[in-house]
Amino acid sequence: MALDSHLSLGFTTPQDAWSWLVLLSMAVKVGSTGALLGLKAGCDWPWVQRQEQPLWWATKLSALTLCAGATGLCWQAGDRETAVLFAVLLSAALLLVAARVRHRLSRQVAAAPGP
């Protein structure tokens, strides 16, 4: 698996688009996860506190986007075996994100005041 050898940071080919998608989704994943971990560790970041819910969603959706982008990038580069690996990871990520979303929604419903 040589994902880095498939990256192409131009602006003209489909491989360029997949490369940018992978890099941008990785940056969103790292940034949003870092911000939420800092908040959980007790850092006093007012912006992060106000944006906690969008950041939570960004961590989940960027993981899916990263797997989908890596699948597309490898497929575009002709690396079918690695594309299949990332497709399997995407399937696992979909299941995990769906479980986390269901858990979060059930906690919100339980915490909501009754009629």
Side-chain angles (χ1 to χ4, degrees):
M1 174 170 56
L3 187 62
D4 61 332
S5 68
H6 301 321
L7 290 175
S8 169
L9 299 178
F11 295 100
T12 57
T13 67
Q15 190 169 351
D16 296 337
W18 287 114
S19 297
W20 281 109
L21 180 65
V22 166
L23 291 177
L24 292 174
S25 60
M26 192 177 302
V28 169
K29 179 67 176 163
V30 169
S32 59
T33 300
L36 288 174
L37 286 174
L39 186 64
K40 195 171 192 176
C43 294
D44 185 27
W45 296 334
W47 182 85
V48 174
Q49 291 171 345
R50 288 190 308 270
Q51 301 301 322
E52 185 176 1
Q53 187 166 350
L55 286 169
W56 186 88
W57 280 101
T59 62
K60 305 309 177 246
L61 297 178
S62 62
L64 298 176
T65 306
L66 181 58
C67 289
T71 302
L73 178 62
C74 291
W75 191 266
Q76 183 68 33
D79 187 355
R80 301 294 187 246
E81 294 82 19
T82 307
V84 169
L85 172 66
F86 278 112
V88 169
L89 289 174
L90 175 60
S91 300
L94 279 167
L95 292 173
L96 291 171
V97 167
R100 293 293 297 159
V101 167
R102 185 176 56 238
H103 177 72
R104 184 178 177 98
L105 291 175
S106 68
R107 278 191 3 218
Q108 287 176 349
V109 168

